[in-house]
Amino acid sequence: MKKFAAFGLLAIFASPLFAAAPAAWHDVPPARASTQPAPPITIPAGETDKTLYAMRDEMERSRARLVLEGADKPFFIEYRLIDLDIHTVTASFGALLSNSTSRSRYMTADVRVGDYHLDSSNFISDSGFQGFLGSAGEVGIDRDYNSLRQDLWLATDQAYKSALTQMSLKQAFLRSLTKAPGIDDFSHATPLVKVDPRLDVDWTSRNWDDEARTASAALADFPALYGTRVNYSIIYATTYMMTSEGTLIRASRSIAAIEAALDTQADDGMPLHNYYAVYAAHPADLPAAPAVGDALAKAAGDLADLRSSPIVTDYTGPVLFDAPAAASVLAQVLAPSLAGARAPVSMTTSFGQLLERMGGESAWEGRVGTRVLPATVTLVDDPTLKDFQGQPLLGSYEVDAEGVPAERVSVVEGGLLNNLLMSRRPGPEFQVSNGHARSALLSEPKPLSSNLFFQSSDAINTADLRKKFLDACKDDGQQWCLEVRRMDNPALSSVREEDFSDFLAELGGGIASGERAPLFVYRVYVADGHEELVRGATIQGLAPRSLRNILAAGNDATVFTYMQNPGDGFAGTALGAFGSVQGGIPSTVVAPSLLLDEIEVHGFRGEPRRTPLVPAPPLK
C-alpha cells in the first residue's frame, strides 16, 4: 500500500443509523473491549464485487484474531475505500491548456481500543491530532481481491498498534486533570446494510475539449484580463464503508462542474478578480458551451466595470445583502456554530488558540434554548431534500460518512436554538448522531451542513425591502449606504496559487473577528436611489451575533451552491465556505436577501502592484 500524508484531491462523497444516549463519566477507568457480540457482515446475494468480499473477509479475520498479548482487543474497526474516476479539461482564451483522465482508489483503516465511553480517538498529543482515521493509502485500481486484503491487513495492523499507543497517552493525560471531560468519545449506531449499484463512467457524451475551447474563447474579447482559467471537472466516485458493528455501505455518485477564474488590475495597481461556477449532479446537466461563453463574457464585463470603479471609503451603517450574497454570508458565518460535536482533548492550549484564531469556535455552544436569531427566523438543515422549487440541491445524500442515515434537523425555531448538527462524536448538548457527518474523500468525518434553509415568517417583497433599506439609511443620517450583490470565493477566483496565498495572509488575521470579502458592492444614494459600483471593500466584525437583529428579510429565497472546504484547519471555520469541486463538499444554502444594521466596512488597505509597462496585445 502506498502511504500518503493527505487527501487533497476532492471531497464530494459522504457515504447508517440511530444511537442510544451514552452515560456520563467523571473518573478515567481502564479501557475495556466491548463484550457485545457483533452481528455478522452479510453481503447481498448475487453480488460479485470483489472489493466487498475482500473487506468482509479481512474484517472478520481482524475481529476474531487482532489482539496484542497483554493489550486491549479492538472494540471498533472501520474500513473505508473510495474508487475515483476523474476527467478534467482546462482552457484559457480559447486554447486548451490541459486534458487529463485518472483512475485511483484509496482506503483507510480506523481501529479503536477502549469502548464507546473512552476510546483512543479524538486526542491531540505532543505528536499531533489523532482523530477517527488510522492508516491510509492508495490501493490497486483493478479491484483485485488478494491485493486489497494484503493492504487491509497491513493497514489494520498499523492502525491497531497506533491506537494502543495513543490510548496509553490519552489515559495518562486524563489522569493528570483535576476533572476529566464528562462526554463519551463515540456514540452507538445501528448497523445498516445498503449496497447500491455502481455508476458507469462516461466521458464521451459530449466533447469536453471543444466545449472548453469554445467557452473560454469568449474571454478573448477582453484583452485587459491578465489571466483566465476555465476548468471542466467530471468526477465519478464509489465509496465503500464497512465496520465491525456490521455496517456495510456501497454508494456511487457523480458530480460535474465548470469553474472559471478571471483576474486583472486597476490602473492604480489594485489587483482584481472575478469567478464563475456552475455545478451539476450529472455531466449531461452542465450548460452548453454557448451559454457558458455568454456567462463568462458577462463575468469579464463585470470585472471591467469593477476595474474602472472608485475605491470605497470606510463606512458603518445598514448594508443590504442580495440573496446570493446573503446565502454566502450565512455559509461562512454560521458554519462553526452549527456543529455540536465537542473539540478534541488536547495536551496543549495551542490547539484551542489556533481554532479561535481561525474563527472555528462555536458561538452557539451552551446556548440551546436561548435566542440566537430573530424571533421570526427558522433555520433547518435537510440532506433528504433533493430539490427546491425545481432547482436541484447538491447537498443531498441518503447516508452520511459514518454510515448514519441522513436526517432533517431543525436547528433554530422562532429564533431559539433547538438542535445542532451531530456526527458520532458526542457533544455537550447532544450525544447522538443525526446523520450529518461529512467527509472530504476519506478525511475525518465532521458534522457539517448539507442543504441549509434560512426562512423568515415576516419576509417582504423586493420593492418593500429596498424602501426599508433606504429608510434605514436616511434614519442613520447617511448620504449613501452599501448593497452587496455578491461575495468573493478566493478558492475559485484566484488564477494563481500565490493570489490565494495573499488572500489568506491578508484575511487570515481577521477571520476570528468576522472579516469577510465581498466581491461586488454598490453605493446606493438615499436622495434618488441611484447606484455606483465600488471596489476594495472588506467587511469587519460579521459574526453570528450580527444576525440576531436583522432589520428585514426578502421573499426572494435563492439556491446558492458552494463547496465547503474540508481541509485541515478550515472545516468548521470561517474559511469553511471557500472550496472548489476538486477539494470541497457539495453544499447549498437557500436564503433570501437580508438587511443588516451597523455593519462596518473598510476600504482597500492592501499594497498596489506595478501595472504592466506595455499594453496588452490583441487577442483576436
Side-chain angles (χ1 to χ4, degrees), residues 315 317-323 325-326 462 465-467 469-470 473 481-486 520-522 524 531 552-554 593-597 599:
Y315 165 86
V319 173
L320 176 62
F321 292 86
D322 290 4
T462 303
L465 180 63
R466 195 160 195 81
K467 182 179 183 305
F469 170 50
L470 293 174
C473 295
C481 288
L482 295 179
E483 178 180 359
V484 180
R485 299 273 175 86
R486 193 182 189 202
F520 287 99
V521 181
Y522 287 80
V524 182
E531 303 170 347
S593 299
L594 296 176
L595 175 58
L596 303 184
D597 195 14
I599 301 300

PDB file of all heavy atoms in Angstrom, residues 315 317-323 325-326 462 465-467 469-470 473 481-486 520-522 524 531 552-554 593-597 599:
ATOM      1  N   TYR A 315     -16.933  52.801   6.091  1.00  0.00           N
ATOM      2  CA  TYR A 315     -18.377  53.008   6.271  1.00  0.00           C
ATOM      3  C   TYR A 315     -18.884  52.137   7.415  1.00  0.00           C
ATOM      4  O   TYR A 315     -18.418  50.995   7.602  1.00  0.00           O
ATOM      5  CB  TYR A 315     -19.102  52.638   4.963  1.00  0.00           C
ATOM      6  CG  TYR A 315     -20.601  52.452   5.095  1.00  0.00           C
ATOM      7  CD1 TYR A 315     -21.457  53.539   5.008  1.00  0.00           C
ATOM      8  CD2 TYR A 315     -21.144  51.185   5.300  1.00  0.00           C
ATOM      9  CE1 TYR A 315     -22.829  53.368   5.113  1.00  0.00           C
ATOM     10  CE2 TYR A 315     -22.516  51.007   5.401  1.00  0.00           C
ATOM     11  CZ  TYR A 315     -23.355  52.098   5.321  1.00  0.00           C
ATOM     12  OH  TYR A 315     -24.702  51.934   5.429  1.00  0.00           O
ATOM     13  N   GLY A 317     -22.866  51.237   8.927  1.00  0.00           N
ATOM     14  CA  GLY A 317     -24.295  51.511   8.817  1.00  0.00           C
ATOM     15  C   GLY A 317     -25.029  50.322   8.226  1.00  0.00           C
ATOM     16  O   GLY A 317     -24.494  49.207   8.144  1.00  0.00           O
ATOM     17  N   PRO A 318     -26.272  50.545   7.767  1.00  0.00           N
ATOM     18  CA  PRO A 318     -27.055  49.443   7.182  1.00  0.00           C
ATOM     19  C   PRO A 318     -26.422  48.934   5.895  1.00  0.00           C
ATOM     20  O   PRO A 318     -25.879  49.705   5.102  1.00  0.00           O
ATOM     21  CB  PRO A 318     -28.417  50.098   6.898  1.00  0.00           C
ATOM     22  CG  PRO A 318     -28.454  51.322   7.740  1.00  0.00           C
ATOM     23  CD  PRO A 318     -27.042  51.793   7.852  1.00  0.00           C
ATOM     24  N   VAL A 319     -26.474  47.628   5.704  1.00  0.00           N
ATOM     25  CA  VAL A 319     -25.987  47.000   4.480  1.00  0.00           C
ATOM     26  C   VAL A 319     -27.042  46.013   4.005  1.00  0.00           C
ATOM     27  O   VAL A 319     -27.531  45.189   4.782  1.00  0.00           O
ATOM     28  CB  VAL A 319     -24.647  46.267   4.698  1.00  0.00           C
ATOM     29  CG1 VAL A 319     -24.258  45.493   3.445  1.00  0.00           C
ATOM     30  CG2 VAL A 319     -23.548  47.259   5.062  1.00  0.00           C
ATOM     31  N   LEU A 320     -27.371  46.110   2.717  1.00  0.00           N
ATOM     32  CA  LEU A 320     -28.320  45.182   2.106  1.00  0.00           C
ATOM     33  C   LEU A 320     -27.531  44.105   1.367  1.00  0.00           C
ATOM     34  O   LEU A 320     -26.742  44.400   0.468  1.00  0.00           O
ATOM     35  CB  LEU A 320     -29.240  45.921   1.127  1.00  0.00           C
ATOM     36  CG  LEU A 320     -30.234  45.055   0.346  1.00  0.00           C
ATOM     37  CD1 LEU A 320     -31.202  44.342   1.283  1.00  0.00           C
ATOM     38  CD2 LEU A 320     -31.002  45.905  -0.676  1.00  0.00           C
ATOM     39  N   PHE A 321     -27.746  42.856   1.762  1.00  0.00           N
ATOM     40  CA  PHE A 321     -27.128  41.720   1.086  1.00  0.00           C
ATOM     41  C   PHE A 321     -28.160  41.074   0.174  1.00  0.00           C
ATOM     42  O   PHE A 321     -29.176  40.553   0.657  1.00  0.00           O
ATOM     43  CB  PHE A 321     -26.626  40.687   2.105  1.00  0.00           C
ATOM     44  CG  PHE A 321     -25.465  41.148   2.946  1.00  0.00           C
ATOM     45  CD1 PHE A 321     -25.663  41.865   4.112  1.00  0.00           C
ATOM     46  CD2 PHE A 321     -24.162  40.867   2.539  1.00  0.00           C
ATOM     47  CE1 PHE A 321     -24.595  42.283   4.885  1.00  0.00           C
ATOM     48  CE2 PHE A 321     -23.080  41.287   3.310  1.00  0.00           C
ATOM     49  CZ  PHE A 321     -23.293  42.005   4.484  1.00  0.00           C
ATOM     50  N   ASP A 322     -27.917  41.140  -1.145  1.00  0.00           N
ATOM     51  CA  ASP A 322     -28.802  40.437  -2.067  1.00  0.00           C
ATOM     52  C   ASP A 322     -28.753  38.934  -1.778  1.00  0.00           C
ATOM     53  O   ASP A 322     -27.802  38.439  -1.192  1.00  0.00           O
ATOM     54  CB  ASP A 322     -28.390  40.725  -3.508  1.00  0.00           C
ATOM     55  CG  ASP A 322     -28.700  42.162  -3.910  1.00  0.00           C
ATOM     56  OD1 ASP A 322     -29.155  42.925  -3.044  1.00  0.00           O
ATOM     57  OD2 ASP A 322     -28.464  42.510  -5.078  1.00  0.00           O
ATOM     58  N   ALA A 323     -29.766  38.199  -2.251  1.00  0.00           N
ATOM     59  CA  ALA A 323     -29.928  36.797  -1.852  1.00  0.00           C
ATOM     60  C   ALA A 323     -28.666  35.944  -2.045  1.00  0.00           C
ATOM     61  O   ALA A 323     -28.264  35.216  -1.122  1.00  0.00           O
ATOM     62  CB  ALA A 323     -31.111  36.181  -2.587  1.00  0.00           C
ATOM     63  N   ALA A 325     -25.528  36.857  -2.091  1.00  0.00           N
ATOM     64  CA  ALA A 325     -24.532  37.310  -1.124  1.00  0.00           C
ATOM     65  C   ALA A 325     -24.940  36.919   0.290  1.00  0.00           C
ATOM     66  O   ALA A 325     -24.103  36.516   1.106  1.00  0.00           O
ATOM     67  CB  ALA A 325     -24.353  38.821  -1.226  1.00  0.00           C
ATOM     68  N   ALA A 326     -26.239  37.033   0.603  1.00  0.00           N
ATOM     69  CA  ALA A 326     -26.722  36.670   1.936  1.00  0.00           C
ATOM     70  C   ALA A 326     -26.485  35.187   2.210  1.00  0.00           C
ATOM     71  O   ALA A 326     -26.068  34.796   3.307  1.00  0.00           O
ATOM     72  CB  ALA A 326     -28.202  37.006   2.063  1.00  0.00           C
ATOM     73  N   THR A 462     -39.389  42.509  -2.762  1.00  0.00           N
ATOM     74  CA  THR A 462     -38.137  43.197  -3.081  1.00  0.00           C
ATOM     75  C   THR A 462     -38.285  44.714  -3.015  1.00  0.00           C
ATOM     76  O   THR A 462     -37.402  45.420  -2.493  1.00  0.00           O
ATOM     77  CB  THR A 462     -37.660  42.781  -4.482  1.00  0.00           C
ATOM     78  OG1 THR A 462     -37.522  41.358  -4.530  1.00  0.00           O
ATOM     79  CG2 THR A 462     -36.325  43.430  -4.819  1.00  0.00           C
ATOM     80  N   LEU A 465     -38.475  45.790   0.569  1.00  0.00           N
ATOM     81  CA  LEU A 465     -37.184  45.631   1.222  1.00  0.00           C
ATOM     82  C   LEU A 465     -36.254  46.777   0.847  1.00  0.00           C
ATOM     83  O   LEU A 465     -35.528  47.308   1.703  1.00  0.00           O
ATOM     84  CB  LEU A 465     -36.568  44.286   0.814  1.00  0.00           C
ATOM     85  CG  LEU A 465     -35.205  43.959   1.425  1.00  0.00           C
ATOM     86  CD1 LEU A 465     -35.301  43.837   2.942  1.00  0.00           C
ATOM     87  CD2 LEU A 465     -34.644  42.674   0.819  1.00  0.00           C
ATOM     88  N   ARG A 466     -36.273  47.169  -0.413  1.00  0.00           N
ATOM     89  CA  ARG A 466     -35.400  48.265  -0.845  1.00  0.00           C
ATOM     90  C   ARG A 466     -35.831  49.583  -0.202  1.00  0.00           C
ATOM     91  O   ARG A 466     -34.980  50.399   0.189  1.00  0.00           O
ATOM     92  CB  ARG A 466     -35.426  48.376  -2.362  1.00  0.00           C
ATOM     93  CG  ARG A 466     -34.295  49.236  -2.916  1.00  0.00           C
ATOM     94  CD  ARG A 466     -34.053  48.936  -4.376  1.00  0.00           C
ATOM     95  NE  ARG A 466     -32.779  49.482  -4.810  1.00  0.00           N
ATOM     96  CZ  ARG A 466     -31.601  48.888  -4.603  1.00  0.00           C
ATOM     97  NH1 ARG A 466     -31.553  47.738  -3.974  1.00  0.00           N
ATOM     98  NH2 ARG A 466     -30.478  49.448  -5.023  1.00  0.00           N
ATOM     99  N   LYS A 467     -37.139  49.793  -0.080  1.00  0.00           N
ATOM    100  CA  LYS A 467     -37.617  51.010   0.580  1.00  0.00           C
ATOM    101  C   LYS A 467     -37.174  51.036   2.049  1.00  0.00           C
ATOM    102  O   LYS A 467     -36.749  52.070   2.566  1.00  0.00           O
ATOM    103  CB  LYS A 467     -39.136  51.093   0.486  1.00  0.00           C
ATOM    104  CG  LYS A 467     -39.734  52.356   1.115  1.00  0.00           C
ATOM    105  CD  LYS A 467     -41.231  52.404   0.966  1.00  0.00           C
ATOM    106  CE  LYS A 467     -41.800  53.701   1.534  1.00  0.00           C
ATOM    107  NZ  LYS A 467     -41.398  53.936   2.951  1.00  0.00           N
ATOM    108  N   PHE A 469     -34.609  49.599   3.259  1.00  0.00           N
ATOM    109  CA  PHE A 469     -33.169  49.832   3.228  1.00  0.00           C
ATOM    110  C   PHE A 469     -32.856  51.323   3.141  1.00  0.00           C
ATOM    111  O   PHE A 469     -32.073  51.868   3.932  1.00  0.00           O
ATOM    112  CB  PHE A 469     -32.581  49.063   2.044  1.00  0.00           C
ATOM    113  CG  PHE A 469     -31.153  49.375   1.719  1.00  0.00           C
ATOM    114  CD1 PHE A 469     -30.169  49.360   2.690  1.00  0.00           C
ATOM    115  CD2 PHE A 469     -30.777  49.666   0.400  1.00  0.00           C
ATOM    116  CE1 PHE A 469     -28.842  49.630   2.378  1.00  0.00           C
ATOM    117  CE2 PHE A 469     -29.462  49.936   0.087  1.00  0.00           C
ATOM    118  CZ  PHE A 469     -28.492  49.923   1.079  1.00  0.00           C
ATOM    119  N   LEU A 470     -33.489  52.006   2.207  1.00  0.00           N
ATOM    120  CA  LEU A 470     -33.245  53.443   2.034  1.00  0.00           C
ATOM    121  C   LEU A 470     -33.734  54.239   3.239  1.00  0.00           C
ATOM    122  O   LEU A 470     -33.105  55.221   3.646  1.00  0.00           O
ATOM    123  CB  LEU A 470     -33.906  53.935   0.753  1.00  0.00           C
ATOM    124  CG  LEU A 470     -33.302  53.389  -0.548  1.00  0.00           C
ATOM    125  CD1 LEU A 470     -34.123  53.832  -1.750  1.00  0.00           C
ATOM    126  CD2 LEU A 470     -31.849  53.825  -0.703  1.00  0.00           C
ATOM    127  N   CYS A 473     -31.181  53.898   5.925  1.00  0.00           N
ATOM    128  CA  CYS A 473     -30.029  54.752   5.625  1.00  0.00           C
ATOM    129  C   CYS A 473     -30.317  56.204   6.002  1.00  0.00           C
ATOM    130  O   CYS A 473     -29.486  56.898   6.604  1.00  0.00           O
ATOM    131  CB  CYS A 473     -29.688  54.673   4.140  1.00  0.00           C
ATOM    132  SG  CYS A 473     -29.142  53.046   3.594  1.00  0.00           S
ATOM    133  N   CYS A 481     -25.635  54.311   1.313  1.00  0.00           N
ATOM    134  CA  CYS A 481     -25.397  53.061   2.037  1.00  0.00           C
ATOM    135  C   CYS A 481     -24.873  52.028   1.046  1.00  0.00           C
ATOM    136  O   CYS A 481     -24.806  52.295  -0.160  1.00  0.00           O
ATOM    137  CB  CYS A 481     -26.677  52.560   2.710  1.00  0.00           C
ATOM    138  SG  CYS A 481     -27.179  53.557   4.139  1.00  0.00           S
ATOM    139  N   LEU A 482     -24.542  50.867   1.539  1.00  0.00           N
ATOM    140  CA  LEU A 482     -23.920  49.857   0.695  1.00  0.00           C
ATOM    141  C   LEU A 482     -24.840  48.660   0.479  1.00  0.00           C
ATOM    142  O   LEU A 482     -25.521  48.202   1.399  1.00  0.00           O
ATOM    143  CB  LEU A 482     -22.602  49.371   1.325  1.00  0.00           C
ATOM    144  CG  LEU A 482     -21.497  50.426   1.438  1.00  0.00           C
ATOM    145  CD1 LEU A 482     -20.271  49.822   2.105  1.00  0.00           C
ATOM    146  CD2 LEU A 482     -21.130  51.004   0.073  1.00  0.00           C
ATOM    147  N   GLU A 483     -24.802  48.165  -0.748  1.00  0.00           N
ATOM    148  CA  GLU A 483     -25.518  46.951  -1.123  1.00  0.00           C
ATOM    149  C   GLU A 483     -24.500  45.959  -1.674  1.00  0.00           C
ATOM    150  O   GLU A 483     -23.727  46.281  -2.580  1.00  0.00           O
ATOM    151  CB  GLU A 483     -26.579  47.246  -2.175  1.00  0.00           C
ATOM    152  CG  GLU A 483     -27.329  46.001  -2.655  1.00  0.00           C
ATOM    153  CD  GLU A 483     -28.376  46.323  -3.702  1.00  0.00           C
ATOM    154  OE1 GLU A 483     -28.546  47.515  -4.042  1.00  0.00           O
ATOM    155  OE2 GLU A 483     -29.025  45.383  -4.201  1.00  0.00           O
ATOM    156  N   VAL A 484     -24.492  44.743  -1.124  1.00  0.00           N
ATOM    157  CA  VAL A 484     -23.580  43.695  -1.566  1.00  0.00           C
ATOM    158  C   VAL A 484     -24.338  42.744  -2.480  1.00  0.00           C
ATOM    159  O   VAL A 484     -25.289  42.092  -2.062  1.00  0.00           O
ATOM    160  CB  VAL A 484     -22.981  42.924  -0.369  1.00  0.00           C
ATOM    161  CG1 VAL A 484     -22.026  41.834  -0.865  1.00  0.00           C
ATOM    162  CG2 VAL A 484     -22.252  43.880   0.569  1.00  0.00           C
ATOM    163  N   ARG A 485     -23.912  42.690  -3.728  1.00  0.00           N
ATOM    164  CA  ARG A 485     -24.570  41.815  -4.699  1.00  0.00           C
ATOM    165  C   ARG A 485     -23.992  40.402  -4.689  1.00  0.00           C
ATOM    166  O   ARG A 485     -24.704  39.432  -4.919  1.00  0.00           O
ATOM    167  CB  ARG A 485     -24.414  42.407  -6.107  1.00  0.00           C
ATOM    168  CG  ARG A 485     -25.050  43.774  -6.277  1.00  0.00           C
ATOM    169  CD  ARG A 485     -26.511  43.662  -6.652  1.00  0.00           C
ATOM    170  NE  ARG A 485     -27.146  44.962  -6.707  1.00  0.00           N
ATOM    171  CZ  ARG A 485     -27.139  45.759  -7.779  1.00  0.00           C
ATOM    172  NH1 ARG A 485     -26.514  45.364  -8.888  1.00  0.00           N
ATOM    173  NH2 ARG A 485     -27.752  46.923  -7.748  1.00  0.00           N
ATOM    174  N   ARG A 486     -22.677  40.310  -4.392  1.00  0.00           N
ATOM    175  CA  ARG A 486     -22.030  39.007  -4.467  1.00  0.00           C
ATOM    176  C   ARG A 486     -20.811  38.975  -3.566  1.00  0.00           C
ATOM    177  O   ARG A 486     -20.061  39.950  -3.490  1.00  0.00           O
ATOM    178  CB  ARG A 486     -21.607  38.722  -5.913  1.00  0.00           C
ATOM    179  CG  ARG A 486     -21.216  37.275  -6.186  1.00  0.00           C
ATOM    180  CD  ARG A 486     -20.768  37.131  -7.620  1.00  0.00           C
ATOM    181  NE  ARG A 486     -20.582  35.735  -7.990  1.00  0.00           N
ATOM    182  CZ  ARG A 486     -19.824  35.327  -9.005  1.00  0.00           C
ATOM    183  NH1 ARG A 486     -19.183  36.217  -9.739  1.00  0.00           N
ATOM    184  NH2 ARG A 486     -19.712  34.052  -9.292  1.00  0.00           N
ATOM    185  N   PHE A 520     -18.791  42.208  -5.287  1.00  0.00           N
ATOM    186  CA  PHE A 520     -19.457  43.324  -5.977  1.00  0.00           C
ATOM    187  C   PHE A 520     -20.313  44.089  -4.977  1.00  0.00           C
ATOM    188  O   PHE A 520     -21.300  43.572  -4.458  1.00  0.00           O
ATOM    189  CB  PHE A 520     -20.287  42.810  -7.142  1.00  0.00           C
ATOM    190  CG  PHE A 520     -19.454  42.351  -8.308  1.00  0.00           C
ATOM    191  CD1 PHE A 520     -19.175  41.009  -8.487  1.00  0.00           C
ATOM    192  CD2 PHE A 520     -18.907  43.267  -9.188  1.00  0.00           C
ATOM    193  CE1 PHE A 520     -18.381  40.580  -9.531  1.00  0.00           C
ATOM    194  CE2 PHE A 520     -18.112  42.848 -10.245  1.00  0.00           C
ATOM    195  CZ  PHE A 520     -17.836  41.506 -10.417  1.00  0.00           C
ATOM    196  N   VAL A 521     -19.888  45.333  -4.741  1.00  0.00           N
ATOM    197  CA  VAL A 521     -20.528  46.203  -3.757  1.00  0.00           C
ATOM    198  C   VAL A 521     -20.938  47.494  -4.450  1.00  0.00           C
ATOM    199  O   VAL A 521     -20.176  48.055  -5.255  1.00  0.00           O
ATOM    200  CB  VAL A 521     -19.566  46.518  -2.584  1.00  0.00           C
ATOM    201  CG1 VAL A 521     -20.245  47.405  -1.553  1.00  0.00           C
ATOM    202  CG2 VAL A 521     -19.062  45.227  -1.944  1.00  0.00           C
ATOM    203  N   TYR A 522     -22.137  47.985  -4.124  1.00  0.00           N
ATOM    204  CA  TYR A 522     -22.663  49.220  -4.728  1.00  0.00           C
ATOM    205  C   TYR A 522     -22.990  50.234  -3.644  1.00  0.00           C
ATOM    206  O   TYR A 522     -23.530  49.886  -2.592  1.00  0.00           O
ATOM    207  CB  TYR A 522     -23.931  48.933  -5.538  1.00  0.00           C
ATOM    208  CG  TYR A 522     -23.677  48.205  -6.834  1.00  0.00           C
ATOM    209  CD1 TYR A 522     -23.471  46.823  -6.845  1.00  0.00           C
ATOM    210  CD2 TYR A 522     -23.620  48.893  -8.042  1.00  0.00           C
ATOM    211  CE1 TYR A 522     -23.223  46.147  -8.021  1.00  0.00           C
ATOM    212  CE2 TYR A 522     -23.381  48.219  -9.236  1.00  0.00           C
ATOM    213  CZ  TYR A 522     -23.177  46.850  -9.219  1.00  0.00           C
ATOM    214  OH  TYR A 522     -22.933  46.176 -10.396  1.00  0.00           O
ATOM    215  N   VAL A 524     -25.474  52.998  -2.753  1.00  0.00           N
ATOM    216  CA  VAL A 524     -26.840  53.365  -3.119  1.00  0.00           C
ATOM    217  C   VAL A 524     -27.156  54.694  -2.437  1.00  0.00           C
ATOM    218  O   VAL A 524     -27.141  54.791  -1.199  1.00  0.00           O
ATOM    219  CB  VAL A 524     -27.848  52.283  -2.683  1.00  0.00           C
ATOM    220  CG1 VAL A 524     -29.256  52.678  -3.119  1.00  0.00           C
ATOM    221  CG2 VAL A 524     -27.462  50.927  -3.268  1.00  0.00           C
ATOM    222  N   GLU A 531     -27.254  53.983  -8.122  1.00  0.00           N
ATOM    223  CA  GLU A 531     -26.226  53.079  -7.634  1.00  0.00           C
ATOM    224  C   GLU A 531     -24.885  53.391  -8.281  1.00  0.00           C
ATOM    225  O   GLU A 531     -24.819  53.867  -9.412  1.00  0.00           O
ATOM    226  CB  GLU A 531     -26.601  51.613  -7.943  1.00  0.00           C
ATOM    227  CG  GLU A 531     -27.944  51.201  -7.373  1.00  0.00           C
ATOM    228  CD  GLU A 531     -28.369  49.839  -7.896  1.00  0.00           C
ATOM    229  OE1 GLU A 531     -27.744  49.354  -8.870  1.00  0.00           O
ATOM    230  OE2 GLU A 531     -29.318  49.262  -7.342  1.00  0.00           O
ATOM    231  N   ALA A 552     -34.608  43.296   8.170  1.00  0.00           N
ATOM    232  CA  ALA A 552     -35.658  42.799   7.272  1.00  0.00           C
ATOM    233  C   ALA A 552     -35.097  41.676   6.418  1.00  0.00           C
ATOM    234  O   ALA A 552     -33.886  41.581   6.184  1.00  0.00           O
ATOM    235  CB  ALA A 552     -36.188  43.925   6.377  1.00  0.00           C
ATOM    236  N   ALA A 553     -36.016  40.833   5.945  1.00  0.00           N
ATOM    237  CA  ALA A 553     -35.659  39.735   5.043  1.00  0.00           C
ATOM    238  C   ALA A 553     -36.608  39.746   3.868  1.00  0.00           C
ATOM    239  O   ALA A 553     -37.807  40.026   4.014  1.00  0.00           O
ATOM    240  CB  ALA A 553     -35.724  38.393   5.775  1.00  0.00           C
ATOM    241  N   GLY A 554     -36.086  39.442   2.680  1.00  0.00           N
ATOM    242  CA  GLY A 554     -36.917  39.417   1.479  1.00  0.00           C
ATOM    243  C   GLY A 554     -37.644  38.095   1.321  1.00  0.00           C
ATOM    244  O   GLY A 554     -37.442  37.136   2.076  1.00  0.00           O
ATOM    245  N   SER A 593     -32.734  37.755   0.442  1.00  0.00           N
ATOM    246  CA  SER A 593     -31.976  38.975   0.703  1.00  0.00           C
ATOM    247  C   SER A 593     -32.155  39.362   2.170  1.00  0.00           C
ATOM    248  O   SER A 593     -33.229  39.163   2.754  1.00  0.00           O
ATOM    249  CB  SER A 593     -32.467  40.112  -0.191  1.00  0.00           C
ATOM    250  OG  SER A 593     -32.298  39.794  -1.554  1.00  0.00           O
ATOM    251  N   LEU A 594     -31.093  39.926   2.739  1.00  0.00           N
ATOM    252  CA  LEU A 594     -31.129  40.298   4.158  1.00  0.00           C
ATOM    253  C   LEU A 594     -30.626  41.722   4.338  1.00  0.00           C
ATOM    254  O   LEU A 594     -29.623  42.123   3.734  1.00  0.00           O
ATOM    255  CB  LEU A 594     -30.260  39.349   4.989  1.00  0.00           C
ATOM    256  CG  LEU A 594     -30.676  37.871   5.038  1.00  0.00           C
ATOM    257  CD1 LEU A 594     -29.656  37.063   5.820  1.00  0.00           C
ATOM    258  CD2 LEU A 594     -32.065  37.718   5.650  1.00  0.00           C
ATOM    259  N   LEU A 595     -31.327  42.482   5.174  1.00  0.00           N
ATOM    260  CA  LEU A 595     -30.919  43.838   5.528  1.00  0.00           C
ATOM    261  C   LEU A 595     -30.375  43.812   6.951  1.00  0.00           C
ATOM    262  O   LEU A 595     -31.093  43.491   7.894  1.00  0.00           O
ATOM    263  CB  LEU A 595     -32.106  44.805   5.433  1.00  0.00           C
ATOM    264  CG  LEU A 595     -31.863  46.246   5.890  1.00  0.00           C
ATOM    265  CD1 LEU A 595     -30.726  46.897   5.110  1.00  0.00           C
ATOM    266  CD2 LEU A 595     -33.154  47.075   5.762  1.00  0.00           C
ATOM    267  N   LEU A 596     -29.080  44.131   7.082  1.00  0.00           N
ATOM    268  CA  LEU A 596     -28.421  44.116   8.388  1.00  0.00           C
ATOM    269  C   LEU A 596     -28.056  45.532   8.801  1.00  0.00           C
ATOM    270  O   LEU A 596     -27.780  46.394   7.956  1.00  0.00           O
ATOM    271  CB  LEU A 596     -27.162  43.251   8.349  1.00  0.00           C
ATOM    272  CG  LEU A 596     -27.327  41.791   7.907  1.00  0.00           C
ATOM    273  CD1 LEU A 596     -25.995  41.063   8.010  1.00  0.00           C
ATOM    274  CD2 LEU A 596     -28.387  41.087   8.724  1.00  0.00           C
ATOM    275  N   ASP A 597     -28.020  45.748  10.104  1.00  0.00           N
ATOM    276  CA  ASP A 597     -27.731  47.075  10.643  1.00  0.00           C
ATOM    277  C   ASP A 597     -26.331  47.116  11.242  1.00  0.00           C
ATOM    278  O   ASP A 597     -25.786  46.083  11.666  1.00  0.00           O
ATOM    279  CB  ASP A 597     -28.771  47.416  11.719  1.00  0.00           C
ATOM    280  CG  ASP A 597     -28.761  48.899  12.070  1.00  0.00           C
ATOM    281  OD1 ASP A 597     -28.164  49.672  11.305  1.00  0.00           O
ATOM    282  OD2 ASP A 597     -29.353  49.275  13.104  1.00  0.00           O
ATOM    283  N   ILE A 599     -23.192  47.504  10.133  1.00  0.00           N
ATOM    284  CA  ILE A 599     -22.117  46.710   9.554  1.00  0.00           C
ATOM    285  C   ILE A 599     -20.940  47.628   9.237  1.00  0.00           C
ATOM    286  O   ILE A 599     -21.105  48.674   8.598  1.00  0.00           O
ATOM    287  CB  ILE A 599     -22.588  45.979   8.281  1.00  0.00           C
ATOM    288  CG1 ILE A 599     -23.757  45.058   8.604  1.00  0.00           C
ATOM    289  CG2 ILE A 599     -21.435  45.202   7.662  1.00  0.00           C
ATOM    290  CD1 ILE A 599     -23.455  43.975   9.614  1.00  0.00           C
TER     291      ILE A 599
END
